[in-house]
Amino acid sequence: MFHFIINSKNYLEASGPKALKLANAIEKATPLARQANVKLYLAAPAFAISELSKTHPKVTIFAQHLDPQGPGSTTGYLVPEVAKMSGARGSLLNHSEHRIPDKEIREGVTALKRLGMQSVVCARDAEEVGRLALFIPTFIAIEPPELIGSGTSVSKARPDLITESKNSLQKVLGDKRSTILLCGAGIVDDVDVRRAKELGAEGILVASGIIKAKNWVGKIRSLALGFSS
Ligand code: G3P
């Protein structure tokens, strides 16, 4: 199984009512993605999670960030228990655009595990992959910040980073195949996806390559097929 996370970030093109349009596109692309053994996810803004989980129950919705605070009198934080009640099935943590201290990453992964939710811990380099793998998240995503939004993919520009991250992960986890390596940043076509798979990634995170595309369904399908070649 390969994992394909669409991170809509705070792009206005996919916010408010347009978040429904993106979820529709993911739903339409799902049958073909499934044939390619690819699971699709949408990492949506907190404001959209509850509505999307109701209108699109077949789409796996993740939060883009969660705070380690607990439920109750904790104003303004994105609390894992409330995210779960809102329909989120997991969350990104420590995205390059929303970095948090290691302690909060560890607490976030622990809270998500306790709630039966999935965690996608983001790392900027292979050293960080090795350090954060110790928390045994569901996924670790290697994303070099300088390539995010660049249209030049990590698998083309920094193939070494994927192989080094795979090695870091294996060094920490040994033969326990628990945490899955994903990669992201600059992925725009099926060649980038095929290359990422060849280098050892078992999934991708994509934002602008989809959000900025004219045809979201076509782009999602085309990237998903990159795993099957
Ligand atoms: O979370 C994935 C995202 O950071 C990658 O961004 O625009 O390069 O696909 P983008």
Side-chain angles (χ1 to χ4, degrees):
M1 170 76 74
F2 295 100
H3 305 272
F4 178 174
I5 300 176
I6 296 159
N7 177 4
S8 62
K9 300 193 175 181
N10 284 304
Y11 283 113
L12 297 182
E13 299 92 320
S15 295
K18 294 173 189 165
L20 299 171
K21 190 175 147 237
L22 180 56
N24 286 340
I26 292 169
E27 227 166 46
K28 286 195 184 109
T30 295
L32 189 98
R34 196 174 287 134
Q35 280 172 19
N37 194 27
V38 176
K39 179 165 174 47
L40 300 177
Y41 308 74
L42 172 56
F47 299 109
I49 291 172
S50 190
E51 182 181 20
L52 287 173
S53 65
K54 289 193 192 73
T55 57
H56 294 80
K58 292 199 189 99
V59 176
T60 302
I61 308 287
F62 280 2
Q64 294 174 4
H65 165 77
L66 292 177
D67 296 302
Q69 277 70 16
S73 178
T74 49
T75 303
Y77 290 100
L78 299 177
V79 169
E81 286 81 355
V82 176
K84 179 168 186 172
M85 290 172 75
S86 305
R89 312 267 191 85
S91 182
L92 308 184
L93 291 172
N94 195 48
H95 189 278
S96 288
E97 295 161 346
H98 193 142
R99 305 261 304 161
I100 56 178
D102 284 17
K103 177 176 175 298
E104 290 191 19
I105 299 170
R106 187 184 68 247
E107 291 167 349
V109 170
T110 305
L112 286 163
K113 269 184 196 155
R114 175 169 43 80
L115 293 164
M117 299 168 78
Q118 295 179 295
S119 50
V120 185
V121 169
C122 300
R124 291 184 294 191
D125 55 37
E127 180 280 328
E128 199 166 52
V129 167
R131 193 177 80 242
L132 300 179
L134 292 169
F135 303 152
I136 315 189
T138 317
F139 303 101
I140 278 206
I142 179 70
E143 283 204 326
E146 69 278 6
L147 293 177
I148 290 177
S150 69
T152 303
S153 71
V154 56
S155 42
K156 271 197 197 109
R158 293 291 313 279
D160 53 302
L161 195 51
I162 300 174
T163 42
E164 284 165 19
S165 298
K166 189 80 179 168
N167 295 339
S168 281
L169 201 49
Q170 269 157 356
K171 220 178 277 170
V172 169
L173 297 178
D175 53 6
K176 280 197 310 297
R177 284 181 40 77
S178 47
T179 297
I180 296 167
L181 180 69
L182 312 177
C183 70
I187 292 174
V188 292
D189 62 26
D190 57 323
V191 176
D192 296 333
V193 178
R194 191 176 317 126
R195 192 85 186 93
K197 175 188 168 189
E198 286 164 359
L199 290 162
E202 295 180 70
I204 55 172
L205 284 83
V206 182
S208 55
I210 290 170
I211 303 300
K212 302 294 184 186
K214 284 193 178 53
N215 175 349
W216 284 349
V217 179
K219 180 55 89 173
I220 297 167
R221 284 174 173 157
S222 144
L223 290 178
L225 285 176
F227 284 110
S228 58
S229 36

